Amino acid sequence: MDKTQANLFYLQRNLILGLLSALVAAAWAGLVWHSHTTTEMTMTHAVGYARHFIADWVIMMVAMMLPTALPMIITFHKVQAANRQPRDAFATTWVFVAAYLVVWAFAGLAAYVGMQAAEAAIVRFALPPAAAAQIGGAIIVVAGIYQLTPLKDVCLSKCRGPTDFIVTAWDDGARSALEMGLLHGAYCLGCCWLLLSSSFRSAS
Amino acid sequence: MNGAALVAVTLIIFAEKTLPWPRLAPYATAGALVLYGALVITSPKLLPTFQQDGAAMPGKMQMEVPGSDRLIKRR
């Protein structure tokens, strides 16, 4: 990498860091802004509610998960820049980030379906608030046990080692960036889905 | 959403991914979750959003979420 390319690389890296930080800060500002607002939503606007749920879920994931993916994103950009033209590396890094967030958006869809199912069960069986809260407690216990499972261990090890992940999964091109973003998102999801579910249950 | 819970979960996930001791954060979190979950099962009032009248239950869809005010305005 000559001096011009090195300068371009550092410029891109700082730009990526700055933009991601701004995204995360904006997402947290949104969460804090609305944390004081309690709104009762009914099912009369089910589609609108689903849309808002997914949108809010993605904002939550940008705020919570994107900071934890930063080391992976920066490493990805570094490897891309070393193997491709720096301009391509910038674009493919954002493809990687977008794919990562797409996985979480689909997870939000699953969370929405799960929440609807839980709501329907509570209404159908006319569960008292204490029983529903106890089910929430049971979910939290299951989330704790999941922390000790081999699946969690495998997913976490992939998330903890950006270089290992990129070396084993890396291939050339935007399509590869997309696949790697999806794969990394899937590992992150496997690592954190139950933790997030339990926190969502106890926090909402 | 409870902002403190979101911050706590973010910090836990960040610790799991970055601390030099790979098993410390997951195991500590496991212990804390099992303990807290068991406490909630025995005493549901420990759930921060628990209300005896059920107002915080999913059936009523009471949530504090970003963007929810826009939905209300539209209605």
Side-chain angles (χ1 to χ4, degrees):
Chain A
M1 196 183 284
D2 62 28
K3 196 179 176 185
T4 312
Q5 281 186 325
N7 285 342
L8 187 58
F9 165 74
Y10 287 118
L11 178 70
Q12 284 183 0
R13 193 189 63 179
N14 293 340
L15 195 58
I16 288 168
L17 275 173
L19 288 172
L20 287 176
S21 302
L23 258 178
V24 171
W28 274 111
L31 290 178
V32 171
W33 176 266
H34 292 282
S35 66
H36 305 293
T37 309
T38 302
T39 307
E40 187 137 334
M41 285 190 266
T42 64
M43 294 311 293
T44 50
H45 291 76
V47 176
Y49 175 68
R51 211 179 294 147
H52 273 264
F53 183 93
I54 305 293
D56 296 338
W57 174 272
V58 171
I59 290 171
M60 260 177 58
M61 293 307 108
V62 169
M64 297 172 72
M65 297 308 298
L66 215 46
T68 69
L70 264 180
M72 179 67 76
I73 294 165
I74 293 304
T75 309
F76 179 86
H77 174 250
K78 190 177 177 181
V79 175
Q80 285 283 327
N83 289 280
R84 296 168 62 83
Q85 290 297 318
R87 195 177 55 186
D88 292 343
F90 186 75
T92 50
T93 301
W94 287 105
V95 171
F96 179 87
V97 173
Y100 177 79
L101 289 176
V102 162
V103 172
W104 282 108
F106 275 101
L109 192 63
Y112 175 75
V113 171
M115 210 164 138
Q116 292 298 303
E119 181 202 351
I122 286 169
V123 171
R124 181 177 164 78
F125 298 109
L127 289 177
Q134 285 171 326
I135 292 171
I139 292 172
I140 294 170
V141 170
V142 172
I145 294 168
Y146 180 74
Q147 291 283 105
L148 309 173
T149 61
L151 180 60
K152 162 82 184 191
D153 203 33
V154 168
C155 292
L156 184 58
S157 67
K158 298 284 184 185
C159 289
R160 282 180 58 89
T163 310
D164 289 347
F165 172 78
I166 287 170
V167 165
T168 52
W170 194 85
D171 201 0
D172 210 7
R175 186 190 168 90
S176 168
L178 179 76
E179 288 170 359
M180 286 177 67
L182 293 173
L183 188 61
H184 181 57
Y187 280 131
C188 255
L189 187 63
C191 178
C192 308
W193 72 278
L194 211 41
L195 192 59
L196 284 165
S197 301
S198 65
S199 70
F200 196 73
R201 180 65 193 86
S202 58
S204 63
Chain B
M1 298 296 292
N2 182 336
L6 298 185
V7 171
V9 171
T10 305
L11 290 177
I12 288 169
I13 293 171
F14 198 79
E16 284 187 350
K17 290 186 178 182
T18 55
L19 280 182
W21 311 281
R23 296 194 187 278
L24 178 66
Y27 281 39
T29 307
L33 284 173
V34 169
L35 185 65
Y36 176 57
L39 286 172
V40 168
I41 290 170
T42 54
S43 177
K45 288 177 184 173
L46 288 172
L47 204 63
T49 52
F50 175 76
Q51 290 178 23
Q52 196 60 52
D53 61 2
M57 301 319 296
K60 296 266 183 103
M61 281 298 170
Q62 182 184 17
M63 290 180 68
E64 300 165 30
V65 288
S68 52
D69 56 336
R70 295 195 299 271
L71 183 64
I72 294 303
K73 278 175 194 164
R74 226 181 288 147
R75 290 162 56 191

XYZ file of all heavy atoms in Angstrom, chain A residues 122-185:
466
model
N -51.846 -15.268 26.376
C -52.246 -14.649 27.648
C -53.741 -14.320 27.637
O -54.454 -14.549 28.616
C -51.392 -13.386 27.921
C -49.984 -13.813 28.347
C -52.023 -12.509 28.996
C -48.975 -12.690 28.399
N -54.210 -13.815 26.484
C -55.632 -13.483 26.375
C -56.461 -14.765 26.371
O -57.471 -14.871 27.079
C -55.881 -12.657 25.090
C -57.376 -12.497 24.830
C -55.210 -11.294 25.205
N -56.023 -15.754 25.602
C -56.791 -17.003 25.458
C -56.939 -17.733 26.786
O -58.006 -18.222 27.120
C -56.106 -17.901 24.428
C -56.812 -19.218 24.175
C -56.104 -20.012 23.086
N -56.517 -21.404 23.080
C -57.656 -21.851 22.560
N -58.479 -21.021 22.006
N -57.955 -23.142 22.593
N -55.836 -17.812 27.517
C -55.890 -18.547 28.778
C -56.189 -17.637 29.970
O -56.147 -18.089 31.120
C -54.569 -19.298 29.001
C -54.301 -20.328 27.941
C -53.294 -20.142 26.999
C -55.069 -21.477 27.857
C -53.056 -21.082 26.003
C -54.835 -22.430 26.876
C -53.828 -22.229 25.935
N -56.470 -16.361 29.683
C -56.815 -15.381 30.714
C -55.837 -15.442 31.890
O -56.237 -15.552 33.054
C -58.245 -15.610 31.189
N -54.573 -15.392 31.560
C -53.547 -15.485 32.600
C -53.541 -14.213 33.451
O -53.586 -13.110 32.914
C -52.164 -15.675 31.973
C -51.877 -17.021 31.328
C -50.485 -17.008 30.696
C -51.976 -18.141 32.339
N -53.457 -14.364 34.755
C -53.335 -13.174 35.606
C -51.952 -12.543 35.421
O -51.008 -13.228 34.985
C -53.500 -13.732 37.028
C -53.149 -15.164 36.923
C -53.494 -15.603 35.533
N -51.822 -11.259 35.753
C -50.530 -10.574 35.572
C -49.364 -11.299 36.242
O -48.272 -11.362 35.682
C -50.765 -9.212 36.220
C -52.229 -9.007 36.144
C -52.856 -10.355 36.256
N -49.623 -11.873 37.427
C -48.532 -12.553 38.145
C -48.022 -13.759 37.358
O -46.814 -13.995 37.261
C -49.007 -12.986 39.525
N -48.967 -14.515 36.758
C -48.568 -15.698 35.990
C -47.773 -15.294 34.751
O -46.771 -15.933 34.396
C -49.807 -16.500 35.592
N -48.240 -14.210 34.088
C -47.510 -13.737 32.903
C -46.101 -13.288 33.284
O -45.135 -13.552 32.561
C -48.284 -12.591 32.255
N -45.992 -12.630 34.427
C -44.672 -12.186 34.893
C -43.789 -13.390 35.219
O -42.572 -13.372 34.974
C -44.821 -11.290 36.112
N -44.404 -14.450 35.765
C -43.637 -15.665 36.075
C -43.121 -16.336 34.805
O -42.009 -16.872 34.787
C -44.492 -16.627 36.899
C -44.629 -16.173 38.347
C -45.637 -16.977 39.127
O -46.649 -17.409 38.584
N -45.377 -17.157 40.415
N -43.939 -16.274 33.748
C -43.460 -16.806 32.464
C -42.255 -15.988 32.001
O -41.258 -16.529 31.508
C -44.589 -16.784 31.410
C -45.670 -17.792 31.798
C -44.043 -17.098 30.014
C -46.926 -17.717 30.957
N -42.347 -14.677 32.195
C -41.205 -13.816 31.875
C -39.978 -14.221 32.680
O -38.859 -14.276 32.147
N -40.183 -14.536 33.950
C -39.076 -14.998 34.804
C -38.478 -16.298 34.280
O -37.249 -16.469 34.276
N -39.360 -17.188 33.820
C -38.872 -18.467 33.271
C -38.035 -18.228 32.016
O -37.000 -18.888 31.802
C -40.057 -19.381 32.953
N -38.468 -17.261 31.184
C -37.697 -16.936 29.969
C -36.314 -16.413 30.358
O -35.305 -16.749 29.732
C -38.465 -15.903 29.106
C -39.731 -16.535 28.531
C -37.571 -15.380 27.969
C -40.657 -15.554 27.832
N -36.275 -15.623 31.416
C -34.982 -15.084 31.873
C -34.070 -16.224 32.361
O -32.866 -16.236 32.085
C -35.209 -14.027 32.978
C -35.934 -12.808 32.384
C -33.889 -13.595 33.606
C -36.428 -11.802 33.409
N -34.664 -17.202 33.055
C -33.869 -18.368 33.507
C -33.324 -19.133 32.297
O -32.132 -19.504 32.266
C -34.727 -19.309 34.394
C -33.996 -20.618 34.655
C -35.069 -18.623 35.711
N -34.195 -19.351 31.291
C -33.756 -20.059 30.082
C -32.625 -19.275 29.393
O -31.639 -19.866 28.917
C -34.947 -20.278 29.116
C -34.472 -20.831 27.778
C -35.957 -21.232 29.738
N -32.764 -17.955 29.385
C -31.700 -17.117 28.786
C -30.385 -17.316 29.529
O -29.313 -17.355 28.912
C -32.113 -15.652 28.816
N -30.469 -17.461 30.835
C -29.268 -17.705 31.634
C -28.636 -19.048 31.310
O -27.410 -19.158 31.159
N -29.484 -20.066 31.172
C -28.966 -21.416 30.859
C -28.351 -21.438 29.458
O -27.318 -22.059 29.221
C -30.094 -22.464 30.993
C -30.529 -22.549 32.464
C -29.653 -23.831 30.490
C -31.808 -23.315 32.699
N -28.988 -20.714 28.535
C -28.469 -20.661 27.151
C -27.046 -20.112 27.110
O -26.250 -20.501 26.245
C -29.398 -19.803 26.290
C -28.954 -19.675 24.846
C -29.101 -20.741 23.966
C -28.380 -18.507 24.370
C -28.686 -20.641 22.653
C -27.957 -18.402 23.048
C -28.109 -19.474 22.200
O -27.687 -19.374 20.895
N -26.743 -19.240 28.047
C -25.387 -18.653 28.094
C -24.308 -19.736 28.215
O -23.154 -19.508 27.870
C -25.271 -17.722 29.310
C -26.078 -16.453 29.216
C -25.437 -15.432 28.317
O -25.876 -15.220 27.196
N -24.372 -14.816 28.774
N -24.694 -20.898 28.751
C -23.719 -21.961 29.014
C -23.702 -23.042 27.929
O -22.965 -24.027 28.050
C -24.032 -22.615 30.376
C -24.196 -21.640 31.558
C -24.672 -22.385 32.800
C -22.896 -20.911 31.834
N -24.531 -22.888 26.894
C -24.636 -23.940 25.879
C -23.493 -23.854 24.850
O -22.924 -22.778 24.631
C -25.985 -23.839 25.129
O -26.045 -22.558 24.485
C -27.159 -23.995 26.071
N -23.189 -24.978 24.201
C -22.138 -24.978 23.165
C -22.469 -24.045 22.002
O -21.566 -23.436 21.415
C -22.109 -26.440 22.688
C -22.714 -27.224 23.791
C -23.694 -26.340 24.463
N -23.771 -23.909 21.660
C -24.154 -23.031 20.547
C -23.759 -21.584 20.848
O -23.190 -20.888 19.994
C -25.670 -23.126 20.299
C -26.214 -22.253 19.171
C -25.589 -22.601 17.825
C -27.738 -22.365 19.082
N -24.050 -21.164 22.065
C -23.670 -19.807 22.467
C -22.144 -19.653 22.399
O -21.625 -18.631 21.932
C -24.171 -19.553 23.898
C -23.529 -18.406 24.637
C -24.131 -17.076 24.294
C -23.384 -15.954 24.997
N -24.065 -14.679 24.898
N -21.453 -20.684 22.846
C -19.985 -20.659 22.867
C -19.410 -20.508 21.451
O -18.511 -19.693 21.215
C -19.485 -21.957 23.520
C -18.087 -21.779 24.082
O -17.775 -20.667 24.539
O -17.312 -22.737 24.027
N -19.970 -21.288 20.525
C -19.492 -21.239 19.130
C -19.751 -19.859 18.530
O -18.858 -19.236 17.926
C -20.197 -22.331 18.280
C -19.949 -22.119 16.797
C -19.714 -23.713 18.691
N -20.988 -19.373 18.709
C -21.349 -18.074 18.130
C -20.500 -16.957 18.735
O -20.031 -16.062 18.021
C -22.837 -17.785 18.354
S -23.915 -18.878 17.416
N -20.291 -17.017 20.040
C -19.513 -15.962 20.696
C -18.057 -15.992 20.235
O -17.444 -14.943 20.020
C -19.597 -16.121 22.221
C -18.905 -15.039 23.047
C -19.476 -13.661 22.724
C -19.026 -15.309 24.542
N -17.526 -17.197 20.056
C -16.126 -17.281 19.619
C -15.947 -16.677 18.221
O -14.930 -16.067 17.926
C -15.640 -18.731 19.650
O -16.323 -19.473 18.681
N -16.972 -16.832 17.352
C -16.917 -16.225 16.015
C -17.009 -14.704 16.110
O -16.415 -13.986 15.307
C -18.064 -16.744 15.143
C -18.022 -18.232 14.889
C -16.971 -18.578 13.862
C -17.005 -20.065 13.542
N -15.916 -20.447 12.630
N -17.800 -14.226 17.088
C -17.956 -12.768 17.247
C -16.722 -12.146 17.905
O -16.419 -10.986 17.675
C -19.183 -12.456 18.107
S -20.729 -12.782 17.272
N -16.047 -12.921 18.733
C -14.898 -12.388 19.466
C -13.636 -12.293 18.607
O -12.754 -11.494 18.905
C -14.587 -13.273 20.687
C -15.501 -13.069 21.857
C -15.099 -13.999 22.980
N -13.730 -13.785 23.388
C -13.345 -12.912 24.315
N -14.243 -12.173 24.921
N -12.079 -12.775 24.639
N -13.563 -13.097 17.575
C -12.342 -13.115 16.772
C -12.565 -12.606 15.365
O -12.747 -13.406 14.441
N -12.555 -11.277 15.157
C -12.818 -10.725 13.824
C -11.859 -11.270 12.764
O -12.276 -11.650 11.669
C -12.611 -9.223 14.000
C -12.652 -8.954 15.449
C -12.252 -10.225 16.129
N -10.575 -11.348 13.109
C -9.591 -11.778 12.122
C -9.840 -13.234 11.708
O -9.848 -13.550 10.513
C -8.166 -11.628 12.691
O -8.048 -10.312 13.233
C -7.130 -11.804 11.609
N -10.060 -14.096 12.685
C -10.324 -15.507 12.372
C -11.545 -15.644 11.471
O -11.550 -16.411 10.507
C -10.557 -16.304 13.668
C -9.275 -16.466 14.456
O -8.198 -16.192 13.878
O -9.343 -16.844 15.639
N -12.603 -14.897 11.844
C -13.846 -14.968 11.062
C -13.600 -14.532 9.626
O -14.018 -15.201 8.676
C -14.911 -14.079 11.713
C -16.151 -13.928 10.875
C -17.093 -14.942 10.818
C -16.371 -12.778 10.124
C -18.234 -14.813 10.029
C -17.504 -12.638 9.342
C -18.439 -13.660 9.293
N -12.899 -13.409 9.455
C -12.687 -12.867 8.109
C -11.756 -13.768 7.300
O -11.981 -14.007 6.113
C -12.163 -11.417 8.199
C -13.322 -10.521 8.648
C -11.612 -10.941 6.859
C -12.950 -9.121 9.014
N -10.744 -14.293 7.957
C -9.805 -15.178 7.244
C -10.531 -16.421 6.729
O -10.321 -16.863 5.595
C -8.623 -15.568 8.161
C -7.856 -16.756 7.594
C -7.690 -14.375 8.331
N -11.425 -16.967 7.544
C -12.102 -18.206 7.138
C -13.272 -17.943 6.191
O -13.594 -18.804 5.370
C -12.624 -18.978 8.367
O -13.396 -18.083 9.183
C -11.499 -19.548 9.185
N -13.896 -16.770 6.312
C -15.101 -16.518 5.504
C -14.853 -15.583 4.329
O -15.724 -15.420 3.488
C -16.205 -15.932 6.388
N -13.650 -14.990 4.260
C -13.417 -13.932 3.274
C -13.382 -14.453 1.854
O -12.838 -15.515 1.568
C -12.097 -13.215 3.584
C -11.978 -11.928 2.823
C -12.472 -10.715 3.196
C -11.340 -11.735 1.558
N -12.195 -9.778 2.232
C -11.500 -10.364 1.219
C -10.664 -12.567 0.674
C -10.998 -9.816 0.047
C -10.174 -12.014 -0.504
C -10.341 -10.660 -0.806
N -14.028 -13.657 0.992
C -13.925 -13.875 -0.441
C -14.043 -12.508 -1.105
O -14.468 -11.547 -0.480
C -15.039 -14.815 -0.923
C -14.676 -15.453 -2.263
O -13.585 -15.155 -2.788
O -15.486 -16.236 -2.789
N -13.695 -12.452 -2.381
C -13.649 -11.165 -3.066
C -15.050 -10.725 -3.504
O -15.887 -11.546 -3.823
C -12.744 -11.318 -4.305
C -12.067 -10.009 -4.629
O -12.199 -9.076 -3.824
O -11.425 -9.920 -5.692
N -15.286 -9.403 -3.501
C -16.494 -8.867 -4.114
C -17.588 -8.455 -3.150
O -17.586 -8.824 -1.975
N -18.517 -7.665 -3.700
C -19.624 -7.154 -2.898
C -20.556 -8.278 -2.448
O -21.115 -8.238 -1.347
C -20.411 -6.114 -3.688
N -20.718 -9.270 -3.318
C -21.578 -10.396 -2.960
C -21.027 -11.119 -1.722
O -21.775 -11.521 -0.839
C -21.664 -11.361 -4.154
C -22.652 -12.476 -3.935
C -22.507 -13.533 -5.031
N -23.240 -14.724 -4.679
C -24.503 -14.935 -4.992
N -25.170 -14.047 -5.673
N -25.114 -16.042 -4.625
N -19.713 -11.253 -1.703
C -19.070 -11.888 -0.553
C -19.264 -11.045 0.710
O -19.488 -11.581 1.796
C -17.591 -12.087 -0.832
O -16.907 -12.433 0.344
N -19.185 -9.705 0.541
C -19.401 -8.822 1.686
C -20.809 -9.001 2.237
O -21.018 -9.021 3.454
C -19.178 -7.370 1.274
N -21.748 -9.145 1.314
C -23.136 -9.369 1.716
C -23.272 -10.676 2.500
O -23.873 -10.729 3.579
C -24.026 -9.400 0.465
C -25.509 -9.646 0.696
C -26.187 -8.395 1.235
C -26.192 -10.072 -0.609
N -22.673 -11.720 1.948
C -22.755 -13.040 2.607
C -22.072 -13.007 3.978
O -22.579 -13.583 4.945
C -22.106 -14.105 1.714
C -22.947 -14.428 0.484
C -22.216 -15.302 -0.524
O -21.031 -15.654 -0.290
O -22.827 -15.617 -1.559
N -20.925 -12.337 4.031
C -20.211 -12.265 5.315
C -20.979 -11.447 6.343
O -20.990 -11.769 7.531
C -18.816 -11.669 5.103
C -17.861 -12.632 4.442
S -16.271 -11.879 4.119
C -15.667 -11.632 5.766
N -21.635 -10.370 5.877
C -22.462 -9.573 6.781
C -23.611 -10.386 7.338
O -23.916 -10.327 8.530
N -24.225 -11.173 6.444
C -25.335 -12.030 6.883
C -24.832 -13.089 7.867
O -25.470 -13.365 8.888
C -25.993 -12.707 5.671
C -26.737 -11.786 4.691
C -27.191 -12.572 3.465
C -27.935 -11.119 5.361
N -23.672 -13.664 7.535
C -23.111 -14.711 8.395
C -22.738 -14.154 9.771
O -23.065 -14.750 10.808
C -21.873 -15.317 7.719
C -21.262 -16.548 8.389
C -22.270 -17.696 8.424
C -20.000 -17.004 7.643
N -22.092 -12.991 9.762
C -21.718 -12.394 11.044
C -22.967 -12.000 11.845
O -23.017 -12.178 13.064
C -20.830 -11.170 10.829
C -20.402 -10.528 12.107
N -19.723 -11.212 13.092
C -20.583 -9.274 12.593
C -19.491 -10.406 14.119
N -20.013 -9.223 13.840
N -23.973 -11.492 11.134
C -25.241 -11.173 11.802
C -25.856 -12.413 12.426
O -26.391 -12.369 13.543
